């Protein structure tokens, strides 16, 4: 067997040796294995809206079952352009500026493959959604991390240092990835912060790639601003979004990029040869989803606010220090009170002994030590699920070393 391993290794690319499997997805498998309540991977355990499920069923019954146009069905692209105009005031030509992909996951990697050359640098705020690291590696780029610092008080904001950000813009910087509302911190970037990023992008001729998948999941009056809406960013932003989080359909795999025509062309080429297209009937249903009335989004944010406010007191009572999110559906916590050597051993204990799955903080950092006393919980779950988790978490006790 040893020889076989050596032989197999010979066939692997250098790239794949530089990243590991997703810890987030692994935690869902662990939850299933141990019969634990799954507050790890961010997917809802409640139903998607009835009207969009019906739209998908109708699309299949009406034989929308063959390839859509490779860069996206026309009715979905039109709906994306309309929604960008209505919500962010951004004018988009659906014929030349929209590419529909298999989820925002494929959209991000297609975008990086379309714009990066070997040796280019991509700036990423850290902690970061774990895909961005491997995405950069696969596209040949070098990730350069800029720290988001946790707030001193549970109600404070995660912040970055302006000088640290500026020093990350260097001769080989091609792009900066901005994820707002942010996974895992729940930070919603303020206008002044986005303007600073805009100014640096213009000064250093850098592209902004923004992941806005949690656009509608906002709390405490927070407002989402697309960086593409800031003057000067129209021709240097790729705005990425998708159906998954807003419409509770993470398994449909429909996402998209909105970008200037020349960049769209490049993204479309990569996307076409990677996957040809996202599922046609689900794109058709996506056009229905994007046409839902404004009340749908208000209710969505309110329902998530209630879930956040259900989980946080439970976590605090169990001994976690919580960083209160302003957006997205995760809460980052500090686990120092439990006296564990690191996040991975704590999460293992949590899933095996307590019966709750969470994501170790280190999977959001380049240097695992930086996340060694942090753990992320997802609260995109039914009240019953959160209550069941609360019952289990009550068995946890802070301990002194
Ligand atoms: N964004 C989700 C999370 O952070 C997971 C998305 C995925 O697994 N593709 O948990």
């Amino acid at each position: 067997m040893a020889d076989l391993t050596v032989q197999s290794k010979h066939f692997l690319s250098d790239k794949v040796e530089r990243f590991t499997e997703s810890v987030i997805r692994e935690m869902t498998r662990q939850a299933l294995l141990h019969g634990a309540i799954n507050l790890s991977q961010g997917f809802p355990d409640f139903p998607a809206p009835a009207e969009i499920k019906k739209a998908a069923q109708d699309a299949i019954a009406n034989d929308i079952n063959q390839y859509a146009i490779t860069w996206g069905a026309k009715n979905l692209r039109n709906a994306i352009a309309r929604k960008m105009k209505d919500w962010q005031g951004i004018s988009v030509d659906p014929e030349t500026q929209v590419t529909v992909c298999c989820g925002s996951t494929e959209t991000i990697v297609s975008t990086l493959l379309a714009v990066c050359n070997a040796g280019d640098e991509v700036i990423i705020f850290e902690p970061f959604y774990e895909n961005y690291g491997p995405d950069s590696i696969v596209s040949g780029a070098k990730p350069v991390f800029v720290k988001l610092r946790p707030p001193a008080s549970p109600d404070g904001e995660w912040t970055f240092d302006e000088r640290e950000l500026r020093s990350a813009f260097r001769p080989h910087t091609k792009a900066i990835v901005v994820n707002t509302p942010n996974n895992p911190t729940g930070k919603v970037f303020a206008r002044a912060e986005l303007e600073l990023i805009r100014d640096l992008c213009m000064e250093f001729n850098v592209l902004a790639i923004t992941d806005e998948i949690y656009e509608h999941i906002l709390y405490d009056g927070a407002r989402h601003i697309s960086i593409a809406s800031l003057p000067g960013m129209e021709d240097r932003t790729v705005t990425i979004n998708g159906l998954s989080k807003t419409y509770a359909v993470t398994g449909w795999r429909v996402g998209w990029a909105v970008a200037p025509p020349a960049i769209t062309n490049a993204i479309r080429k990569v996307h076409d040869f990677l996957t040809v297209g996202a599922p046609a009937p689900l794109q058709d249903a996506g056009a229905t989803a994007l046409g839902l009335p404004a009340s749908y989004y208000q209710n969505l944010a309110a329902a998530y606010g209630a879930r956040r406010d259900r989980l946080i007191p439970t976590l605090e009572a169990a001994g976690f220090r919580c960083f209160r999110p302003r957006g997205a559906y995760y809460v980052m916590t500090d686990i120092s009170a439990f006296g564990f050597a690191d996040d991975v051993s704590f999460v293992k204990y949590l899933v095996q002994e307590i019966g709750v799955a969470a994501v170790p903080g280190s999977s959001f950092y380049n240097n695992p030590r930086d996340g060694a006393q942090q753990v992320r919980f997802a609260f995109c779950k039914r009240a019953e699920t959160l209550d069941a988790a609360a019952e289990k978490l009550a068995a946890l006790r802070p301990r002194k070393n």
Side-chain angles (χ1 to χ4, degrees), residues 353-376:
E353 307 297 329
I354 301 291
V356 176
V359 179
S362 55
S363 43
F364 304 101
Y365 289 89
N366 184 44
N367 181 345
R369 275 198 308 272
D370 292 339
Q373 290 300 320
Q374 292 177 359
V375 162
R376 189 199 76 173

Side-chain angles (χ1 to χ4, degrees), residues 124-126 145-149 159-161 164 365 370:
I124 297 172
F125 288 103
E126 184 185 41
F145 300 99
V146 172
K147 285 259 178 311
L148 290 175
R149 296 202 161 70
T159 51
F160 58 86
D161 181 76
E164 190 187 334
Y365 289 89
D370 292 339

